[in-house]
Amino acid sequence: QVQLVESGGGLVQAGGSLRLSCAASGRILTTYAMGWFRQAPGKEREFVAGISRGGDNTYYGDSVKGRFFISRVNAKNTVTLQMNSLKPADTAVYYCAAGFEARAESAMDYWGKGTLVTVSS
């Protein structure tokens, strides 16, 4: 069993940056690929970024490429999402997830409760 807790969300102006963190407890994080997903009001949840078990492969959704960066520190059981050049369209609840494949929502076994990111124009 894995418990995931996100932090770092908040209100930021367009063009600003935020850093989200996901702290894991329970089974060691190296067992899982990790991903960040988001859900905006009235929209379906979408893939944002993913990272492989060892951290050597990273993946990004088209809308965040070049602006968001995912990393992990397995020794600390944490995954972070650095978000730069934020846009109002990035406003959403961001979820951390753990599973056997870093990009697919259906492959995720564990989910955090989410953290709200609001980007003002």
Side-chain angles (χ1 to χ4, degrees), residues 73-94:
V73 181
N74 288 335
K76 295 185 178 181
N77 259 11
T78 58
V79 178
T80 60
L81 183 68
Q82 178 66 42
M83 305 187 297
N84 302 323
S85 301
L86 283 161
K87 307 174 182 179
D90 294 318
T91 295
V93 177
Y94 284 72

Side-chain angles (χ1 to χ4, degrees), residues 98-120:
F100 66 87
E101 204 282 323
R103 289 164 287 185
E105 184 174 347
S106 61
M108 295 301 173
D109 295 319
Y110 302 101
W111 292 84
K113 293 183 178 180
T115 185
L116 177 62
V117 172
T118 304
V119 184
S120 63

Side-chain angles (χ1 to χ4, degrees), residues 41-106:
K43 295 186 177 181
E44 294 186 353
R45 190 155 56 187
E46 66 171 347
F47 169 73
V48 176
I51 189 166
S52 59
R53 291 175 180 78
D56 47 342
N57 294 307
T58 56
Y59 314 93
Y60 297 95
D62 289 341
S63 62
V64 307
K65 282 180 181 177
R67 299 188 299 122
F68 289 14
F69 301 94
I70 188 171
S71 61
R72 66 190 296 165
V73 181
N74 288 335
K76 295 185 178 181
N77 259 11
T78 58
V79 178
T80 60
L81 183 68
Q82 178 66 42
M83 305 187 297
N84 302 323
S85 301
L86 283 161
K87 307 174 182 179
D90 294 318
T91 295
V93 177
Y94 284 72
Y95 298 91
C96 175
F100 66 87
E101 204 282 323
R103 289 164 287 185
E105 184 174 347
S106 61

